[in-house]
Amino acid sequence: MRLSIVLFCGIAAVSFHGSAAVISFTGNLQSDATVLACGSGCTLGPGNSDSDFAQWAAVVRTFAVVVTSTMQAITFSYGGGVNGQGAAIPQGGFEPYLSLFDSGGAFLASTFPGVTCPPGSHTNTVSGQCFDVLLNGGTLAPGTYQIALTAFENLSFAENLGAGSLADGFTGLGNLAPGEDLHYAFDVILTPGATSTPEPSTLAMLPAMILLVALWRKS
């Protein structure tokens, strides 16, 4: 059974660390949902448990690359930490999984071969584990991209089948372990390449352009 994409309107904020633009997203897998569908004949709602949302739901966020940049994304909410805005993120979120797609929904990268406990993440003091992840998106050309956050094992069909797109949905195999909740936090980090330095006028527009697209919700 294929899952209809679940879209979210979680909080996004943009900061700049040197030449890198950092887009920070925070929210909750259940309360942020604007589309609550888990396949044919199945609709998630108030009567569903946190485990149901962890199994089926996905946060799908859109961001813009204004100039050719290397891209990384890092999660903070499983073990806690400090995001790109300097906000303290509590531990105890679900074990995350990140997937990257282009504007048309074609699969680009994920944390399947990813890095556990990347720099800036912490070990969860309850489980003794560090399941936060780092996605390395490589070098991205200017354009619009989409990033999906799910509970681990709720992978996209586009990735699993080797074809298709984000619109094909997810496997519905996510899980929520005891002591975990549905809050999430992750940063998208864009670092312009040394050979792709924009003109000063473009640099001046960069914060506003990224902010506008980062806060845009796919409908």
Side-chain angles (χ1 to χ4, degrees), residues 14 63-66 201-202 204-215:
V14 180
F63 65 94
V65 176
V66 180
S201 58
T202 304
M205 296 173 61
L206 186 59
M209 294 175 70
I210 292 179
L211 178 60
L212 285 173
V213 180
L215 296 178

Side-chain angles (χ1 to χ4, degrees), residues 64-210:
V65 176
V66 180
V67 296
T68 300
S69 302
T70 58
M71 177 269 180
Q72 289 186 325
I74 186 171
T75 66
F76 298 93
S77 45
Y78 181 80
V82 178
N83 71 4
Q85 305 301 310
I89 306 299
Q91 68 176 17
F94 54 91
E95 299 170 35
Y97 192 87
L98 294 173
S99 305
L100 179 66
F101 303 85
D102 66 16
S103 60
F107 173 77
L108 298 177
S110 74
T111 53
F112 182 74
V115 177
T116 301
C117 209
S121 295
H122 301 280
T123 298
N124 184 296
T125 59
V126 177
S127 68
Q129 302 294 323
C130 183
F131 291 134
D132 281 303
V133 293
L134 171 69
L135 182 149
N136 188 345
T139 300
L140 300 182
T144 302
Y145 296 85
Q146 302 173 85
I147 188 166
L149 171 74
T150 57
F152 181 67
E153 294 186 338
N154 187 20
L155 284 64
S156 71
F157 281 109
E159 176 176 9
N160 279 270
L161 301 178
S165 71
L166 175 60
D168 292 327
F170 297 86
T171 61
L173 298 176
N175 59 83
L176 193 69
E180 297 175 2
D181 62 31
L182 297 181
H183 83 274
Y184 68 84
F186 67 97
D187 285 351
V188 172
I189 305 165
L190 301 173
T191 305
T195 59
S196 303
T197 303
E199 296 296 328
S201 58
T202 304
L203 283 172
M205 296 173 61
L206 186 59
M209 294 175 70
I210 292 179

